[in-house]
Amino acid sequence: MTSLSSVTPHDNLSPVAQAAHRARAAAADLAPLPRSAKDEALQAIAEALEVRTAEIIEANAVDVERARAAGTSESVIDRLTLTPERVRAIAADVRQVAALPDPVGEVVRGSTLPNGIDLRQVRVPLGVVGIIYEARPNVTVDGAALCLKSGNAVLLRGSSSAYSSNTALVAVIRDAVGGSGLPADAVQLVPGESRDSVTELMRARGMVDVLIPRGGASLIRTVVEGSTVPVIETGTGNCHVYVDADTDIDMAVDILVNSKAQRPSVCNAAETLLVHRDVADAFLPRALDALAEAGVTVHGDERVVSYAEATKATVVPAVAEDWETEYLSYDIAAAVVDSLDAAVAHIRLWSSGHTEAIVTTSQAAARRFTRLVDSTTVAVNASTRFTDGGQFGFGAEIGISTQKLHARGPMGLPELTSTKYIVTGDGHTR
Amino acid sequence: MTSLSSVTPHDNLSPVAQAAHRARAAAADLAPLPRSAKDEALQAIAEALEVRTAEIIEANAVDVERARAAGTSESVIDRLTLTPERVRAIAADVRQVAALPDPVGEVVRGSTLPNGIDLRQVRVPLGVVGIIYEARPNVTVDGAALCLKSGNAVLLRGSSSAYSSNTALVAVIRDAVGGSGLPADAVQLVPGESRDSVTELMRARGMVDVLIPRGGASLIRTVVEGSTVPVIETGTGNCHVYVDADTDIDMAVDILVNSKAQRPSVCNAAETLLVHRDVADAFLPRALDALAEAGVTVHGDERVVSYAEATKATVVPAVAEDWETEYLSYDIAAAVVDSLDAAVAHIRLWSSGHTEAIVTTSQAAARRFTRLVDSTTVAVNASTRFTDGGQFGFGAEIGISTQKLHARGPMGLPELTSTKYIVTGDGHTR
């Protein structure tokens, strides 16, 4: 029922359903467009963001003032705030998306069948993508740019705390898209600030092809559990660093500190350290000191606690919840394990399946760990912080999928596409 | 929370949840197995099916007798019935799955990043696959074989009308799997014949990685709308054949009749014919006669009806529902359209997005149709009946996905996998 839009009288529909119908029509127009048409629109968006910066910042000031009046924390206000520099950076990101290859039309698989039929599997847009997200207004522009480039229409449902900023940004984007001859309805802000519009989006199966929630754990859980529209789950990262019996101590300390403390607020930061018992004497005193220097509090099991006294570290006894906590702060859980397999069992039990790293000099250990650990990313002698679309060379990222269906790990442009088969014959019948 | 199995006391769980926990544990053991171990188990299954045929047929007789007593139609009873020949054919199918390449371990993408890190994206099993299906007991064996080969544990929830057959088949399979040294719990029949077990399976998010419903439209709708577990929607096919203005009339008649009548009960059979008005005079009289000869009733719009008198055809006036009906019988809806774009608009409005064919001699028309039609498969000068895993050379098929996420079109072994990234460095940090 993809195009009921052409017969359903829009007036009888809710504002969200109307937006979804317009998005479907726009998606049908976008799908066959060649790269040049999409890139022109992206360049126009980048330029419009720069030309109309004052208007955007004025709208943003309304949100910032409201947040301040509501006593919002300074860190959240900082993420919400737009400055001329930040708008310029957002525009630069859009130009970067324009420079990426177009995933649409890529032949994924192709062959001539024994009967002479030519079979090709080609990438096509998903159709209508819904993004439900929190706080940061740059997601509005990122999401629009990535969806446009991949030929998708997008329904953006940002947080009500950024409603004024998002309204201004989407107005600028729509003008630029329309001015480039593409359907402006390819980019729409979902109308309404209430929770109802989220619920409606979640139930719009057949109108919306996929929902991508970006934000805190409770938002993601709500969308995952309540949607009839297919969802790509993103983001929760209870990442582990396992220091193997055979290891380079310096390397292990560096990777641990980088994984934990280089940027603790992100999903690919480490949250648990596991240490093989054979290396605990050599590694833990140095590791605890290094963590202390980085300002990290350690939530240790009994064996880890026993090493604390001789170090500068703040070590508190771990409780069960520590093993499943995504701190997103200068905290880390830590345990000594009896074997690599015990580390794997711990990870299987507690990990959110995002990223786990092993630091080892043993080829056999590296091989066993990568085979047995089932997470989006398994790192060998590298920081967990590399799980990122930019780091992986994807050029852009719409999120990091922690589910197994469709996309797993950092999602770039190809992850915003589906495929179709084209069968070409000369009158072939069965 | 993948392996709560190791801490949750099974006794407090429902039988379905217990089965799911055992499946997760089995999946963890299966995932790292090399192809040879899985193929050995598949060969053992094939042999066991042949050796224990009598036992299977005896169990099947219970189902058949019960169906007969309930007044079930002969066609359904035929699909339910197992004979020694059919069991041999099922065993042969299992051997064919063993002969297919192992999708697990395939490197999908790989590169060395600018910083020297080696990045590889490799195929891994999905984990636990749930299949909810109707009537035919061969799906029990097919599903088990395809899941085993792709390293997945499977929870089979067949129809209660085939419970005795499925119980016997799964017992044979589990003995063979266990005898080969693999975990027997990799293949389990979901306990209980009531609807409750289906509902429980649908809500087992975190324990079951994907649900694949195979069967009628109402089963599929129930699973799609009620599941928190990700679902791959399969099967509904309202397929179209569009005969373009520029066409080879003989070829068009052949493709139409083959698409409609070669096997009308399957999802890739054509259900609607669209004819460009410029070719209606030349094409429709011949097409209506050919359809009549094949025993097909035509549900035509006014213009189609106007051609009926001069032919042998049975043509009844089409009503609105005809355009969206998947007849699965010797019936076809038919309309004359004013242009290729009008055909595309009709397809967008009414198609289930399975397969649409164009018959044309025009390169421009073929190109426009394949670009504008958004279905799993677009056929040019070929029957809609080619949309099939076997025909596409996939060797086996778990169903035909009509959704856009994860898999679209015929699903072979790779579609039963996910991927993970392996990041290898020499102590890399950010």
Side-chain angles (χ1 to χ4, degrees), chain A residues 417-430:
Chain A
T417 65
S418 181
T419 60
K420 71 181 174 194
Y421 287 98
I422 298 174
V423 161
T424 310
D426 315 295
H428 285 74
T429 55
R430 278 180 76 178

Side-chain angles (χ1 to χ4, degrees), chain A residues 72-109:
Chain A
T72 308
S73 76
E74 273 309 309
S75 71
V76 172
I77 286 178
D78 179 59
R79 288 167 58 193
L80 177 62
T81 303
L82 291 175
T83 63
E85 292 70 40
R86 284 183 180 182
V87 174
R88 264 201 300 280
I90 292 172
D93 285 345
V94 174
R95 290 200 176 94
Q96 224 185 329
V97 172
L100 292 173
D102 187 347
V104 174
E106 188 198 341
V107 179
V108 175
R109 175 152 57 173

Side-chain angles (χ1 to χ4, degrees), chain B residues 342-388:
Chain B
V344 169
H346 181 108
I347 287 167
R348 280 209 189 137
L349 187 55
W350 299 112
S351 173
S352 63
H354 190 297
T355 300
E356 332 298 343
I358 181 174
V359 190
T360 186
T361 55
S362 156
Q363 170 69 4
R367 199 165 143 81
R368 186 162 177 83
F369 190 82
T370 50
R371 267 206 295 198
L372 293 186
V373 169
D374 187 27
S375 296
T376 81
T377 307
V378 184
V380 178
N381 296 338
S383 170
T384 58
R385 292 274 294 115
F386 286 107
T387 306
D388 173 272

